[in-house]
Amino acid sequence: MNFTRWSARLPGTQRRAAARTEQTASPDRRGEGSVPAARVEQLTDESPSVPAVDELRVREVLDRVPSLVALVHGPDHRIAYVNDAYTSAFGVRPLGERACEALPELDALGLFPLLDQVQRSGKPRTVKSRKAPDGRSYTFTCTPVAQGDGEGGSDGRGVLVFAIDVTDHAEAAERLRASERRQRETAVTLQRSLLPQELEEPDDLRIAATYHPGGTEAAVGGDWYDVITLGGGRTALVIGDVMGRGVRAAAVMGQLRTAVRAYARLDLPPHEVLQLLDGLAAEIDANQIATCAYAIHDPNEGKLIYSSAGHLPILVRDENGTVLRAEEPTGPPLGTGGWMHTSGSIPLAPGSTAVLYTDGLVERRDADLDEGIAALERALAGATGTPQVVCDRLVRSAGVTPDHDDDVAVLVLQHPARTGADSELFRNAALELLGGVEAAPRARAFASGVLTSWRFPADLHDLGVLATSELVANSLQHGTPPMRLRLRRTDRRLIIEVTDGDDHLPRRRRAEPGDESGRGIAIVATIASNWGCRRTPGGGKAVWCEFALPRTQTI
């Protein structure tokens, strides 16, 4: 094999040869100001004569380079040459043998198809950072070369295989990837730790939720959801999204979620909760944008009362499969300030399913947002089964995968339509209270009859009648018409509620021995499992208490 012949085809060879010819043909142009001859002679005497690279034969150059070099020729890639570095890495290789038999390391790296491709196309190809059997990583470049027979003829194409050891770079890259994976795992762990570990389970709703972190990088987002039982049979449902990514977004999300739970305990209307949250968001980080939808379900009203701060509309599928989209009111994202939020409502009758979600479920770069919401509506229209089944189906229909480029949070709730024996565990009874001295005894008689018909044990019956008497007496003394008594039982608790037209909320206080009043709420708080009060839409208030049912009552 004549290396000199094909060496002329290596990149830069012709240019260097031309420069060498020019230097040889040009006379010495040194004049004044140039290096003295004596100095030149001194340097020549002290420095040994080292030939330039261009004056070496190609084989001598390749023998000296630290990179791995092999030359194969012909259609069956027979070995023409391997340099010392290649031999040190993989051992002695017999010349003239077929590469598929004598160079098993190239086969292990999958390079033989690449050799064929280079030989056919006459174009170089490179594969980066392949791990060889010796445990080192190499970047391989396969370059076509024309091989002569020394007489001016040609005996075909060859392929020069040039491998650079990139083990250090590969290991550094792997360490970086491992570090990014650890950072991502930490961020996802933080994100998940800030979400509810277990969803609260309201008596009248069945709920499921899911969260999918987006992308493969360490920066997770700030999506969140929550379910908060408010007492008196009411439930708050929350979905939110802090814009941006990373630990900062997750931290802001955690603060907002904690604040929502605190504000929810005040049992305020949805728009007032968002009003408070809006001011807090500006204090937490004025540069962080967040959206949120807050809704309250009251089983006695058969609807969701909601308010939205720049969030996507709630969707509700009724028992016939018709999907409704919650309309305005909606306000700007949290933290903008200066906006008065308002509340709206959407029906949620027995047999209905509602979906709250973040934009990662419906937003795509190549499609309009409304198209994504419309696609979700179609998927919800055909989704049946438990809330978890519906949740999983909606995520699949949206094409959410582990490498999805945005976080996704979905909250699905169902208001079951109960029939048969199950319906006997969920009952309601109500009485309009007309003013006068006869209102209190009428309320006690009504409560006694209802609790007897619901087959409550004697001790729970008496406690329920006593709580009814105290709540009604408090309303008659401090409230204004219209007044209403409502009894409700679920499979877990008895709820007693009295509403009136006065919006002054009662509070528990210590009554002095000589006081003639002030003991009613204290008595209720002592005998009941829980109690509370809230203002009602349009003015007025509701005062309620609840008793946990014995296990025998929930069967």
Side-chain angles (χ1 to χ4, degrees):
M1 187 63 58
N2 189 330
F3 280 85
T4 304
R5 178 65 59 88
W6 58 260
S7 68
R9 293 182 175 270
L10 294 178
T13 303
Q14 297 90 338
R15 184 173 61 254
R16 290 192 295 269
R20 202 164 51 243
T21 302
E22 181 181 351
Q23 292 172 2
T24 303
S26 300
D28 188 357
R29 297 194 179 110
R30 294 191 186 95
E32 292 186 8
S34 59
V35 179
R39 177 62 175 166
V40 175
E41 292 175 0
Q42 183 181 1
L43 292 174
T44 304
D45 290 341
E46 293 181 357
S47 303
S49 178
V50 178
V53 172
D54 290 337
E55 296 174 359
L56 294 173
R57 292 170 57 86
V58 172
R59 177 162 185 165
E60 294 178 59
V61 175
L62 297 181
D63 282 340
R64 297 182 185 185
V65 297
S67 302
L68 281 56
V69 179
L71 177 67
V72 297
H73 68 93
D76 52 357
H77 307 305
R78 294 187 178 273
I79 304 174
Y81 166 78
V82 292
N83 71 347
D84 293 341
Y86 195 104
T87 301
S88 298
F90 299 119
V92 178
R93 295 294 182 258
L95 302 182
E97 296 293 329
R98 297 170 59 191
C100 60
E101 300 169 355
L103 301 178
E105 59 277 358
L106 298 188
D107 188 23
L109 292 166
L111 291 184
F112 286 151
L114 191 65
L115 295 180
D116 294 334
Q117 183 181 1
V118 170
Q119 195 171 59
R120 286 194 307 267
S121 66
K123 297 179 180 179
R125 294 288 186 269
T126 298
V127 291
K128 296 182 178 180
S129 192
R130 292 283 180 92
K131 195 166 187 178
D134 66 346
R136 310 288 293 177
S137 295
Y138 300 92
T139 289
F140 287 85
T141 298
C142 300
T143 304
V145 293
Q147 306 161 53
D149 59 2
E151 303 295 333
S154 175
D155 60 3
R157 285 186 179 275
V159 179
L160 183 70
V161 180
F162 190 85
I164 300 175
D165 191 331
V166 294
T167 303
D168 292 342
H169 294 83
E171 292 177 350
E174 180 55 36
R175 288 193 296 270
L176 179 60
R177 287 192 293 268
S179 175
E180 290 175 345
R181 285 194 296 269
R182 288 192 297 269
Q183 291 178 21
R184 174 175 168 75
E185 290 169 0
T186 300
V188 172
T189 300
L190 171 63
Q191 170 81 337
R192 292 191 182 279
S193 69
L194 295 174
L195 292 173
Q197 302 305 299
E198 291 185 8
L199 291 177
E200 296 184 22
E201 299 180 357
D203 296 1
D204 294 274
L205 298 176
R206 299 293 176 263
I207 299 178
T210 187
Y211 168 73
H212 294 267
T216 56
E217 72 279 5
V220 298
D223 295 17
W224 93 91
Y225 55 83
D226 212 345
V227 178
I228 309 166
T229 52
L230 302 177
R234 303 164 77 246
T235 305
L237 305 130
V238 192
I239 192 83
D241 185 2
V242 177
M243 302 302 157
R245 303 180 70 79
V247 174
R248 178 59 183 168
V252 172
M253 176 272 288
Q255 295 177 77
L256 292 178
R257 176 177 174 255
T258 301
V260 169
R261 294 191 70 86
Y263 295 148
R265 298 304 178 192
L266 301 176
D267 213 344
L268 300 171
H271 66 275
E272 293 189 22
V273 171
L274 290 189
Q275 206 72 50
L276 293 172
L277 200 62
D278 180 57
L280 180 65
E283 295 178 11
I284 294 174
D285 190 339
N287 298 319
Q288 200 83 45
I289 298 176
T291 65
C292 181
Y294 182 90
I296 294 177
H297 175 255
D298 188 333
N300 296 301
E301 297 178 357
K303 58 185 177 181
L304 280 178
I305 308 296
Y306 69 91
S307 187
S308 174
H311 204 77
L312 299 172
I314 299 171
L315 302 181
V316 175
R317 176 188 183 274
D318 65 20
E319 59 182 347
N320 300 318
T322 302
V323 177
L324 302 176
R325 182 187 301 193
E327 300 296 337
E328 296 185 356
T330 184
L334 299 174
T336 56
W339 181 271
M340 294 301 296
H341 292 272
T342 56
S343 294
S345 66
I346 186 170
L348 189 73
S352 298
T353 300
V355 179
L356 292 79
Y357 52 95
T358 57
D359 58 3
L361 186 67
V362 295
E363 190 172 33
R364 299 294 180 270
R365 296 178 181 177
D366 57 349
D368 186 77
L369 180 60
D370 285 337
E371 294 179 9
I373 298 176
L376 181 62
E377 289 179 341
R378 292 191 294 271
L380 178 60
T384 58
T386 65
Q388 189 60 60
V389 170
V390 173
C391 196
D392 294 341
R393 181 170 179 177
L394 296 180
V395 170
R396 286 196 305 271
S397 69
V400 177
T401 59
D403 58 351
H404 192 64
D405 61 359
D406 195 6
D407 292 40
V408 174
V410 183
L411 182 65
V412 175
L413 57 129
Q414 289 181 345
H415 187 187
R418 296 181 172 89
T419 58
D422 190 37
S423 65
E424 295 296 316
L425 299 178
F426 293 81
R427 306 285 293 275
N428 288 279
L431 175 68
E432 300 295 332
L433 297 174
L434 303 177
V437 294
E438 74 283 358
R442 283 184 61 242
R444 288 194 293 271
F446 176 78
S448 178
V450 169
L451 298 180
T452 300
S453 68
W454 288 350
R455 300 190 297 276
F456 282 173
D459 57 343
L460 184 57
H461 171 280
D462 294 343
L463 290 175
V465 171
L466 176 58
T468 299
S469 177
E470 295 297 335
L471 292 180
V472 170
N474 183 79
S475 181
L476 291 172
Q477 182 176 357
H478 301 288
T480 59
M483 302 178 185
R484 193 167 189 252
L485 168 65
R486 184 162 60 190
L487 303 178
R488 176 172 172 77
R489 71 154 295 167
T490 70
D491 58 346
R492 305 176 202 173
R493 71 196 83 237
L494 165 66
I495 302 168
I496 302 170
E497 181 180 82
V498 176
T499 59
D500 64 57
D502 183 78
D503 59 4
H504 177 73
L505 300 179
R507 59 184 178 86
R508 183 179 180 180
R509 63 184 179 88
R510 182 186 296 275
E512 298 298 330
D515 291 346
E516 296 183 358
S517 62
R519 295 180 175 83
I521 296 299
I523 292 174
V524 171
T526 300
I527 64 176
S529 305
N530 193 16
W531 81 279
C533 56
R534 70 179 187 278
R535 291 187 174 88
T536 55
K541 67 177 178 292
V543 184
W544 57 268
C545 67
E546 58 185 34
F547 297 85
L549 299 184
R551 289 185 177 273
T552 54
Q553 289 292 314
T554 62
I555 299 176

